[in-house]
């Protein structure tokens, strides 16, 4: 798998004397001593009280990414054995979670991806959960585990959508091309990404790097590897979760120190910093010429058309010579994007055949746009509204309820959705980030 991810990498194979953790740890030390720039460790077992000694002796190589499989037994509760896998739970190690990766030609990326596993207890899936012994590293901020949480990042691991392996030596009557999976496949893919990304600067933990650049990863917000509380430890969601960590590789940016696209009015502690940065990193927004994003301003309808067009990968489209709307023409800003939006049925404009490009996008219209962008999925809206200011008779009731059912919106803390309020640019970024994590581009 290292060769598949990095064909030009020099691969050093170190074989341990046995499968004891002491021998495996000695093999890791040998690999680092011989100059390995990253180490893939497709092994692990339940934690034990003395693991701090093993951390010190075998899994403490500053600046060298040590990537360990999180295991294939799904979510585990640290308060009742078996615990999460070690050495994946070590704060010095990058813990590799796992996903199901399926080709999908309807997506810009070409794939759909979700956490590998099922909710059934004991079913196969990437290991995840809280460490019983390892302290939480300073760069990990999830609230559900007082100790170290597994995993950090993920790669394909589901044997049903696994990796092709050629075995020239018959084993149990089988040889030739076969398909394999497990987080033992995910770990070397991630280790190869670190190797390709280059040396880790002094004083930075390799596992810390993706936490500094979550906007540069593919966030998978579907799938589960068990049943748990809090649910993010076993259920993929927006941002960090146990089965997939921060997400899967999208290039190498998240595995090296990086300078994110930035706006002068969006500091790193801004509530939607990750979502706005993701929007810029993917070329969906360029902000304003003065270097601002203006997060608190309403999103206007012509800009919304451009954002949705770019979210879909800027598909090939020849705009019509005759405008479908009587208030825009061939030389109007974003004419191509607006007419593409109309050609797909994502917008129908107003009954008077206007688009009103400079009007703000209201929150109910935003729900309709995203629902149609997703292909108007089959969905039955609930008889009882999830928001106090909506009823089944409200315009776009089904679309808003669908948006809430996906978690793309939670509404306001007072239980309202405020459908006629303009959606500000920061909330628009959050909606589109979550849409992408849930449905793909």
């Amino acid at each position: 798998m290292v060769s598949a991810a990095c064909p030009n990498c020099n691969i050093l194979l170190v074989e341990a004397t046995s499968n004891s953790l002491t021998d495996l740890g000695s093999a890791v030390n040998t690999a680092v001593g011989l100059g390995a720039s990253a180490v893939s460790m497709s092994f692990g077992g339940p934690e034990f009280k003395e693991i701090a000694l093993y951390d010190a002796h075998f899994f403490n190589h500053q600046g060298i990414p040590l990537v360990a499989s999180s295991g294939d037994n799904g979510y585990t509760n640290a308060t009742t054995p078996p615990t999460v896998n070690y050495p994946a739970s070590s704060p010095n190690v990058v813990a590799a979670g796992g996903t199901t990766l399926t080709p999908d030609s309807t997506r810009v990326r070409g794939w759909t991806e979700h956490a590998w596993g099922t909710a059934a207890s004991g079913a196969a899936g990437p290991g995840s959960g809280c460490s019983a012994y390892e302290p939480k590293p300073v760069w990990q901020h999830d609230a559900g585990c007082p100790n170290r949480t597994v995993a950090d990042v993920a790669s394909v691991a589901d044997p049903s959508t696994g990796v092709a392996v050629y075995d020239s030596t018959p084993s149990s009557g089988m040889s030739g091309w076969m398909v394999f999976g497990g987080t033992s496949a995910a770990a070397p893919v991630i280790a190869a990404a670190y190797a390709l990304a280059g040396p880790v600067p002094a004083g930075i933990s390799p596992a810390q790097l993706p936490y500094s650049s979550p906007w540069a990863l593919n966030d998978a917000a579907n799938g589960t590897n068990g049943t748990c509380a809090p649910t993010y430890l076993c259920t993929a969601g927006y941002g960090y979760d146990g089965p997939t960590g921060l997400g899967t590789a999208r290039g190498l940016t998240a595995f090296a120190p990086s300078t994110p696209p930035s706006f002068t009015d969006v500091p790193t502690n801004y509530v939607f910093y990750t979502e706005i940065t993701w929007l810029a990193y993917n070329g969906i927004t360029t902000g304003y010429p003065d270097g601002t994003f203006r997060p608190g301003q309403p999103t206007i309808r012509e800009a919304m058309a451009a954002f949705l067009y770019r979210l879909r990968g800027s598909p090939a489209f020849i705009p019509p010579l005759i405008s479908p709307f009587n208030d825009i023409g061939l030389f109007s800003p974003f004419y191509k994007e607006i007419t593409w939006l109309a050609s797909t049925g994502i917008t129908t404009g107003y009954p008077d055949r206007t688009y009103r490009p400079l009007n703000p996008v209201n929150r109910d219209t935003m729900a309709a746009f995203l629902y149609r962008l997703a292909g108007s999925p089959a969905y039955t809206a609930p008889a009882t509204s999830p928001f106090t200011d909506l009823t089944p008779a409200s315009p776009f009731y089904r679309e808003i309820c669908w948006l809430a059912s996906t978690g793309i919106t939670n509404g306001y803390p007072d239980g309202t959705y405020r459908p006629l309020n303009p959606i500000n640019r920061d909330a628009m970024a959050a909606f589109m980030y979550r849409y992408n994590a849930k449905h793909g581009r």
Side-chain angles (χ1 to χ4, degrees):
M1 288 315 301
V2 170
S3 177
C6 181
N8 293 325
C9 280
N10 295 316
I11 301 174
L12 168 67
L13 172 64
V14 178
E15 297 184 355
T17 303
S18 76
N19 65 353
S20 74
L21 187 57
T22 299
D23 284 344
L24 289 165
S26 296
V28 171
N29 287 349
T30 298
V32 175
L34 291 173
S37 58
V39 181
S40 174
M41 305 185 297
S42 291
F43 61 83
E47 292 181 314
F48 51 94
K49 291 182 179 179
E50 297 81 12
I51 55 178
L53 297 175
Y54 285 79
D55 281 345
H57 287 298
F58 304 120
F59 305 111
N60 186 26
H61 297 284
Q62 297 298 311
I64 306 298
L66 309 178
V67 185
S69 306
S70 66
D72 301 333
N73 297 316
Y75 168 77
T76 54
N77 185 343
T79 62
T80 56
T83 61
V84 292
N85 263 20
Y86 180 82
S89 65
S90 171
N92 305 327
V93 168
V94 180
T99 63
T100 298
L101 187 65
T102 308
D104 185 348
S105 61
T106 68
R107 305 297 179 188
V108 175
R109 184 183 169 199
W111 306 85
T112 56
E113 191 166 29
H114 60 80
W116 167 42
T118 70
S121 177
S128 71
C130 302
S131 171
Y133 306 106
E134 296 282 19
K136 183 175 288 295
V138 295
W139 34 261
Q140 197 173 54
H141 302 293
D142 61 298
C145 281
N147 289 341
R148 167 80 158 114
T149 314
V150 173
D152 294 313
V153 287
S155 186
V156 60
D158 184 348
S160 298
T161 65
V163 297
V165 174
Y166 188 84
D167 187 356
S168 59
T169 303
S171 175
S172 301
M174 297 184 295
S175 63
W177 284 107
M178 292 177 276
V179 178
F180 290 87
T183 54
S184 288
V189 172
I190 296 166
Y194 274 104
L196 283 164
V200 177
I204 296 179
S205 166
Q208 178 182 353
L209 290 169
Y211 288 83
S212 302
S213 306
W215 40 266
L217 293 161
N218 295 310
D219 186 10
N222 297 295
T224 185
N225 68 343
T227 303
C228 65
T231 56
Y232 81 89
L233 293 174
C234 64
T235 302
Y238 305 118
Y240 180 82
D241 58 71
T244 68
L246 294 162
T248 61
R250 186 185 183 279
L252 303 176
T253 301
F255 302 94
S258 59
T259 302
S262 61
F263 301 104
T264 56
D265 54 352
V266 183
T268 57
N269 62 351
Y270 191 78
V271 62
F272 293 124
Y273 170 79
T274 294
E275 293 86 343
I276 294 169
T277 306
W278 171 85
L279 209 68
Y281 179 70
N282 285 278
I284 297 169
T285 185
T286 56
Y288 288 89
D290 63 358
T292 62
F293 181 72
R294 307 180 192 176
Q297 287 191 3
T299 307
I300 60 175
R301 288 170 59 86
E302 65 177 14
M304 192 71 245
F307 294 155
L308 292 170
Y309 176 74
R310 296 168 190 162
L311 180 67
R312 289 297 275 166
S314 300
F317 176 71
I318 299 174
L321 295 177
I322 300 175
S323 173
F325 303 111
N326 57 32
D327 58 345
I328 61 169
L330 284 171
F331 301 106
S332 299
F334 303 118
Y335 177 75
K336 178 179 181 179
E337 293 84 346
I338 294 170
T339 53
W340 170 83
L341 206 67
S343 74
T344 62
I346 295 171
T347 187
T348 56
Y350 289 88
D352 63 358
R353 292 191 66 248
T354 61
Y355 182 73
R356 306 180 193 177
L358 299 182
N359 279 16
V361 178
N362 288 347
R363 287 171 56 86
D364 57 356
T365 305
M366 183 71 184
F369 282 172
L370 292 180
Y371 175 74
R372 295 167 189 162
L373 186 70
S376 300
Y379 174 75
T380 301
T384 302
S385 174
F387 301 109
T388 59
D389 56 349
L390 284 179
T391 72
S394 300
F396 303 122
Y397 176 73
R398 178 176 63 171
E399 292 84 345
I400 295 169
C401 289
W402 171 83
L403 203 68
S405 74
T406 65
I408 293 173
T409 184
N410 297 313
Y412 288 88
D414 63 359
T416 62
Y417 181 74
R418 307 180 192 177
L420 299 182
N421 280 16
I423 186 163
N424 287 346
R425 288 166 60 87
D426 55 359
M428 174 276 300
F431 278 20
M432 293 184 69
Y433 174 88
R434 295 170 193 161
Y435 174 92
N436 178 69
K438 198 75 175 177
H439 299 282
R441 297 178 62 185

